[in-house]
């Protein structure tokens, strides 16, 4: 059997552009949805044209035109959606319900990977309001997929390194501090940090793999299962300096959420579950799921020791 043809929806986004790159790199005929809503966004248009230069096909379709979506889907075997909605409030997640309807009508898709790539929403039914809205919406999409009997793989990629590792998990910055750092609680809850390019590589690996059909794939690179203190220690070693640490108690952290705007409350609520409750690592990957680094040992993933080096000044 040849490699599946892949349609990437949301290909100009943060994860989408990486999925397109990984799909092309792994030899898949790759299609990228080009939505007329792009309007005058020159950056997105030029990114789409750069994909075309690399060998991808651009397919025009709109979420407001069901027939165009069906026609686009009929050209491929696999659909990967990367629409935004990971940490801050986004209305895009539920747009995927239109995609599900189009996939159902097209009737030819061998695998659909909806936009998840974060915590496993199936394990977050208890999450704090308003942050749980993200998980509720993702579960609504899952329900529609499964009711339509569409073959799927769900990707639980845990914490993107660009947002959580490069800044030592500090809020309000994307670069690592050089003097002072905040520790959440005792800083010993285990967290999973994954380089976004590795997320894309593992994601594309799954699409023709019968072992991941109708399962959740957890990304848990063993070297990157770290506590916040361990992550900070790696940075201190790189810069040859110990940072001044201030611990934020669980009570103070929860109190700080109340004064924030809606979008910030969503993101900070997720932070709470990760760094105080250890929600990414407080369970075993069961029989109904798979772990990426075990399935694909040939992938050389980026360790956080290596990842942090890019933030050094020289």
């Amino acid at each position: 059997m040849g490699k599946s043809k892949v349609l990437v929806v949301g290909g100009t986004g943060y994860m989408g552009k990486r999925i397109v790159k990984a799909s092309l790199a792994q030899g898949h005929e790759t299609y990228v949805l080009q939505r007329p809503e792009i309007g005058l966004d020159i950056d997105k248009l030029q990114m789409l044209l750069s994909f075309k230069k690399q060998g991808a096909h651009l397919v025009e379709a709109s979420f407001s035109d069901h027939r165009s979506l069906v026609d686009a889907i009929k050209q491929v075997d696999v659909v990967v959606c990367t629409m935004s909605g990971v940490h801050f409030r986004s209305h895009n997640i539920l747009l995927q319900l239109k995609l599900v309807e189009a996939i159902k009508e097209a009737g030819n898709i061998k695998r659909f990977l909806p936009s998840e790539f974060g915590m496993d929403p199936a394990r977050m039914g208890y999450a704090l309001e308003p942050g749980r809205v993200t998980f509720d919406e993702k579960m609504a999409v899952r329900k529609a997929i499964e009711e339509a009997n569409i073959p799927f793989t769900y990707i639980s990629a845990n914490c993107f390194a660009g947002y959580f590792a490069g800044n030592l998990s500090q809020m309000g910055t994307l670069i690592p501090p050089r003097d002072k750092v905040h520790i959440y609680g005792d800083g010993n809850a285990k967290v999973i940090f994954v380089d976004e390019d590795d997320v894309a590589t593992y994601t594309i690996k799954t699409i023709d793999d019968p072992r991941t059909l109708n399962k959740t794939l957890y990304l848990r690179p063993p070297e990157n299962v770290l506590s916040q203190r361990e992550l900070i220690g790696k940075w201190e070693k790189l810069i040859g300096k110990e940072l001044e640490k201030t611990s934020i108690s669980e009570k103070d952290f929860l109190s700080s959420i109340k004064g924030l705007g809606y979008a910030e409350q969503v993101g900070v609520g997720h932070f709470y579950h990760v760094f105080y409750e250890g929600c990414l690592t407080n369970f075993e990957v069961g029989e109904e799921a798979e772990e990426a680094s075990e399935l694909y040992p040939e992938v050389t993933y980026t360790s956080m020791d290596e990842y942090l080096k890019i933030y050094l000044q020289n």
Side-chain angles (χ1 to χ4, degrees):
M1 268 180 55
K3 295 196 171 192
S4 288
K5 295 179 180 179
V6 181
L7 173 66
V8 182
V9 179
T12 59
Y14 185 67
M15 271 312 301
K17 62 190 177 188
R18 292 173 166 87
I19 296 287
V20 172
K21 181 182 173 185
S23 181
L24 289 168
Q26 292 181 40
H28 292 274
E29 193 170 342
T30 304
Y31 296 71
V32 185
L33 199 73
Q34 180 177 342
R35 297 163 65 191
E37 292 89 341
I38 198 170
L40 296 175
D41 192 325
I42 190 69
D43 291 330
K44 286 188 176 181
L45 176 60
Q46 291 190 342
M47 192 184 300
L48 287 167
L49 294 175
S50 76
F51 293 153
K52 194 174 176 182
K53 283 182 183 176
Q54 294 166 51
H57 308 279
L58 303 184
V59 188
E60 289 193 25
S62 171
F63 277 85
S64 58
D65 180 354
H66 176 73
R67 178 51 44 197
S68 72
L69 280 179
V70 173
D71 290 344
I73 288 161
K74 282 185 174 178
Q75 298 180 55
V76 300
D77 308 301
V78 171
V79 177
V80 182
C81 186
T82 60
M83 301 180 81
S84 68
V86 177
H87 280 289
F88 287 89
R89 177 69 173 120
S90 167
H91 295 282
N92 290 347
I93 290 296
L94 291 181
L95 258 185
Q96 292 180 102
L97 295 174
K98 294 188 176 185
L99 199 53
V100 171
E101 284 301 310
I103 290 170
K104 183 179 177 182
E105 183 175 326
N108 63 301
I109 291 303
K110 296 192 295 187
R111 196 85 62 105
F112 176 40
L113 284 70
S115 186
E116 296 218 350
F117 305 106
M119 300 181 229
D120 180 0
R123 296 185 175 276
M124 300 307 296
Y126 67 93
L128 294 175
E129 295 280 9
R132 63 171 294 157
V133 68
T134 309
F135 310 121
D136 290 345
E137 289 184 352
K138 288 179 178 179
M139 289 306 292
V141 173
R142 284 191 182 192
K143 184 171 184 280
I145 292 167
E146 291 167 28
E147 286 180 350
N149 290 315
I150 295 168
F152 63 84
T153 299
Y154 303 138
I155 306 292
S156 178
N158 298 301
C159 287
F160 288 166
Y163 281 100
F164 288 92
N167 57 1
L168 307 185
S169 307
Q170 304 300 287
M171 294 185 195
T173 181
L174 291 173
I175 56 175
R178 290 179 170 268
D179 298 303
K180 300 177 180 179
V181 65
H182 286 113
I183 303 272
Y184 305 113
D186 62 12
N188 292 325
K190 291 289 187 180
V191 181
I192 304 166
F193 304 95
V194 190
D195 180 293
E196 289 86 334
D197 291 331
D198 293 340
V199 174
T201 297
Y202 284 125
T203 297
I204 296 300
K205 283 269 183 188
T206 70
I207 62 177
D208 284 330
D209 188 344
R211 298 173 298 178
T212 58
L213 181 62
N214 297 335
K215 287 187 176 181
T216 297
L217 181 79
Y218 292 99
L219 275 54
R220 288 184 165 189
E223 290 182 42
N224 293 353
V225 180
L226 303 164
S227 68
Q228 188 194 9
R229 283 190 182 274
E230 288 170 330
L231 181 71
I232 291 166
K234 291 180 182 298
W235 177 243
E236 289 174 330
K237 189 175 178 182
L238 283 173
I239 63 173
K241 175 185 176 182
E242 191 170 331
L243 303 183
E244 181 186 325
K245 300 173 184 70
T246 305
S247 181
I248 303 174
S249 72
E250 184 174 348
K251 183 181 176 184
D252 288 346
F253 189 88
L254 288 170
S255 296
S256 73
I257 297 177
K258 294 169 188 170
L260 300 172
Y262 182 85
E264 289 80 9
Q265 284 189 41
V266 171
V268 176
H270 295 180
F271 240 79
Y272 170 76
H273 295 301
V274 171
F275 290 97
Y276 287 91
E277 294 185 341
C279 70
L280 304 181
T281 54
N282 62 3
F283 62 92
E284 295 296 321
V285 174
E287 289 182 8
E288 294 305 307
E290 299 288 348
E291 197 285 307
S293 60
E294 290 181 6
L295 286 189
Y296 312 113
E298 70 277 10
V299 174
T300 305
Y301 63 82
T302 304
S303 70
M304 289 304 103
D305 298 83
E306 282 300 311
Y307 188 86
L308 288 171
K309 287 179 182 175
I310 200 169
Y311 295 92
L312 295 172
Q313 288 175 332
N314 294 311

